[in-house]
Amino acid sequence: MNPQAIINHGRRTVFSRTLRPFDHGVCMSTRDIGEQNVLNVEQFIDERRFSPYQWLILFFCFLIVALDGFDTSAIGFVAPAIAKEWGVTKIALGPVLSAALVGLAIGALLAGPVADRIGRRKVLIGSVCFFGVWTIACVFATGVWQLSVFRFLTGIGLGAALPNSTTLLSEYVPARRRSLLLNVMFCGFTLGASAGGVVSAALIPDFGWRSIFLAGGIAPVLLACALVALPESVRFMVIKGWPDDRIRRVLRRIASGELVTASKFSVSDRVGEKETAPLALILSTRYRFGTLMLWLAYFMGLLVYYMLTSWMPTMIHDAGFTLRQASLVSALFPAGGVIGALGCGWLMDRFNPWRVVALAFLLLGAAVCAMGQGTANVQSLAIATFVAGVCMTGAQMSMLALAALFYPTHGRASGVAWMLGIGRLGGILGALGGGALSAAGYSMIAILTSMAAPAFVAAMALLFAVSVSNKQGSLQAAVVEPSP
């Protein structure tokens, strides 16, 4: 390799770029280094249209997230049937409902570093199969604690699947559409959650609660078999030095048959990053501050989300509204999720993504305050709830896209996964805290007003990250700006 053909920008090594026009289908984005033709795979993806092969990857990742949403919502629908059959109180089912949340946190924390070492594809297929098998095992549970253990193991698989589907897709979509397409994938959660309610209503009356776990377990096992068609991340293959022929085959499928003649491949990660352990990388000097701000924002966001989704119907009913009104108003909260996710994704691809997500959190805080003040009539409460749902889903789903944009290839799975794992602790606190505040006698107005504070903290964390980075100079600006 001719060292004169390399340009050093700070700590990033970039090959000098020589673009040639297409000649009989030969690809662009190549660099001549000595006698070798080196292609940067990130630029290769960025310069092309979104191909059918990339749509297939998006489709598979969408299905994985949809199964996550199905599992999350279905457990709430089966709880009353389980309590009735086993003769236990709903409070006694608390371990069953919370076990998966604990498993989700542990699964995310474990899966990220493993995926950064052995590959996203292997961990993704294994995690989908794992949570499918343990969901089927729930069919044979005979008591609360046995079911809690099975749900905990299911949660580990779910916790490993989401960050790796995020990471894999983010490394196959062009930068100009990355946030939007990632949020399209996250819309699968909303679809899966809706399907959980529909399927539960159709199956439980005739076939019992075990049929939900059976359906929810067979689907991911079958999907895991289909996921063998997924490729490994092409960036990961380059970082780990996989055979050039395997990388070339994937790029040809992305380019829809276009001839790829490069003899070597590269990515734009900084010198020395791939030699650093993934966890050490995301906590290194360059990434530490952004990592902590992502953790704080996601933790606060999930605290608000789980408090509202777990206790909103109860709070609205306790505020003097009928059960029917409480149910209808609560249903408006997730109804605007797709609008929020796609809107935030579209804006993130056009403006500073950190500021876009921060704005969504600020609007969420204002909307939650408006919910607390809207107890006078059901119409104002309904409007405020819908707006809060749009902002909540948009902000929280976009956090995964933000993390995927922030970290380099070698630490991306660990960065996304650890943000998810730390954030799940906020979800557990929110689910438990809502009940504690209600039991302590706090009114709906007081609880909702207090929930605006975590939303504002999340917004301030993201804005603070942008401000501090700008003051540190151009070298650190890359920490908070989207990839070129």
Side-chain angles (χ1 to χ4, degrees):
M1 182 179 295
N2 182 3
Q4 293 181 348
I6 300 178
I7 303 173
N8 288 312
H9 294 283
R11 294 168 60 188
R12 180 187 292 267
T13 299
V14 183
F15 294 109
S16 60
R17 183 177 181 184
T18 303
L19 293 181
R20 298 179 175 84
F22 285 97
D23 183 15
H24 303 293
V26 179
C27 70
M28 299 174 67
S29 301
T30 58
R31 286 90 173 204
D32 289 329
I33 299 181
E35 297 180 353
Q36 293 182 334
N37 208 13
V38 179
L39 181 144
N40 184 296
V41 296
E42 297 170 51
Q43 293 179 358
F44 182 90
I45 293 173
D46 289 345
E47 291 170 355
R48 281 155 183 80
R49 293 182 177 180
F50 205 62
S51 67
Y53 190 57
Q54 290 163 293
W55 280 111
L56 177 65
I57 297 172
L58 172 58
F59 175 70
F60 277 132
C61 292
F62 182 92
L63 291 180
I64 294 170
V65 177
L67 290 174
D68 190 340
F70 178 92
D71 182 270
T72 300
S73 66
I75 187 62
F77 290 102
V78 303
I82 294 174
K84 181 178 180 181
E85 179 179 322
W86 289 350
V88 298
T89 64
K90 293 181 180 179
I91 296 177
L93 287 178
V96 174
L97 299 176
S98 60
L101 290 177
V102 178
L104 282 163
I106 295 175
L109 296 175
L110 295 176
V114 174
D116 278 328
R117 291 189 178 278
I118 70 172
R120 292 82 161 99
R121 179 178 177 271
K122 291 179 181 179
V123 176
L124 191 56
I125 295 174
S127 61
V128 172
C129 185
F130 188 85
F131 81 71
V133 168
W134 286 110
T135 299
I136 294 174
C138 293
V139 175
F140 305 100
T142 57
V144 169
W145 289 107
Q146 187 180 36
L147 183 58
S148 298
V149 171
F150 291 159
R151 289 294 299 164
F152 170 77
L153 294 170
T154 300
I156 290 178
L158 289 168
L162 183 57
N164 279 289
S165 58
T166 303
T167 302
L168 181 67
L169 182 63
S170 72
E171 293 173 348
Y172 269 110
V173 295
R176 65 186 179 276
R177 301 171 65 187
R178 185 167 296 144
S179 297
L180 176 60
L181 291 173
L182 283 172
N183 280 12
V184 168
M185 179 192 75
F186 300 140
C187 288
F189 187 93
T190 302
L191 178 64
S194 301
V198 173
V199 173
S200 297
L203 294 183
I204 291 178
D206 295 327
F207 303 100
W209 59 268
R210 288 180 172 83
S211 62
I212 301 302
F213 287 125
L214 186 62
I218 292 176
V221 171
L222 294 177
L223 178 59
C225 297
L227 290 179
V228 297
L230 272 179
E232 181 54 83
S233 163
V234 69
R235 297 189 195 182
F236 179 85
M237 289 192 285
V238 173
I239 286 288
K240 295 298 183 180
W242 284 35
D244 293 332
D245 286 342
R246 295 189 64 176
I247 300 173
R248 195 176 293 111
R249 283 198 298 269
V250 174
L251 294 181
R252 285 173 179 168
R253 298 194 68 176
I254 293 175
S256 301
E258 178 184 318
L259 182 61
V260 180
T261 60
S263 58
K264 295 293 181 182
F265 302 93
S266 69
V267 295
S268 299
D269 284 2
R270 292 171 178 81
V271 174
E273 284 184 343
K274 68 179 182 179
E275 286 80 24
T276 307
L279 287 180
L281 178 64
I282 68 174
L283 293 173
S284 64
T285 303
R286 181 172 186 84
Y287 297 100
R288 184 185 303 129
F289 185 75
T291 292
L292 295 177
M293 293 302 99
L294 285 171
W295 288 2
L296 177 60
Y298 199 70
F299 178 96
M300 292 298 177
L302 279 189
L303 189 155
V304 177
Y305 177 80
Y306 276 97
M307 197 286 297
L308 293 178
T309 55
S310 299
W311 298 101
M312 189 188 302
T314 302
M315 288 191 297
I316 295 175
H317 179 58
D318 291 345
F321 294 95
T322 66
L323 285 174
R324 181 175 181 274
Q325 289 174 327
S327 298
L328 291 175
V329 170
S330 299
L332 291 172
F333 186 73
V338 173
I339 299 174
L342 297 183
C344 274
W346 185 84
L347 291 171
M348 287 173 70
D349 287 330
R350 284 155 179 81
F351 304 99
N352 184 293
W354 293 67
R355 291 193 175 100
V356 170
V357 182
L359 177 60
F361 275 120
L362 286 173
L363 294 175
L364 169 63
V368 171
C369 284
M371 288 173 62
Q373 302 302 317
T375 55
N377 61 81
V378 70
Q379 289 82 10
S380 58
L381 179 60
I383 294 172
T385 301
F386 179 79
V387 173
V390 171
C391 299
M392 179 80 260
T393 306
Q396 204 63 20
M397 285 187 175
S398 297
M399 286 294 297
L400 282 85
L402 197 60
L405 290 170
F406 176 58
Y407 294 108
T409 304
H410 182 58
R412 183 168 291 117
S414 296
V416 175
W418 271 66
M419 184 190 74
L420 283 168
I422 298 297
R424 297 292 182 185
L425 301 178
I428 296 171
L429 179 61
L432 298 176
L437 291 174
S438 296
Y442 287 95
S443 66
M444 174 182 169
I445 296 176
I447 295 175
L448 290 177
T449 302
S450 68
M451 282 300 103
F456 291 142
V457 170
M460 291 301 104
L462 300 181
L463 293 174
F464 192 44
V466 176
S467 176
V468 170
S469 178
N470 289 339
K471 291 179 180 178
Q472 290 176 342
S474 59
L475 179 63
Q476 293 298 321
V479 173
V480 296
E481 296 296 337
S483 301

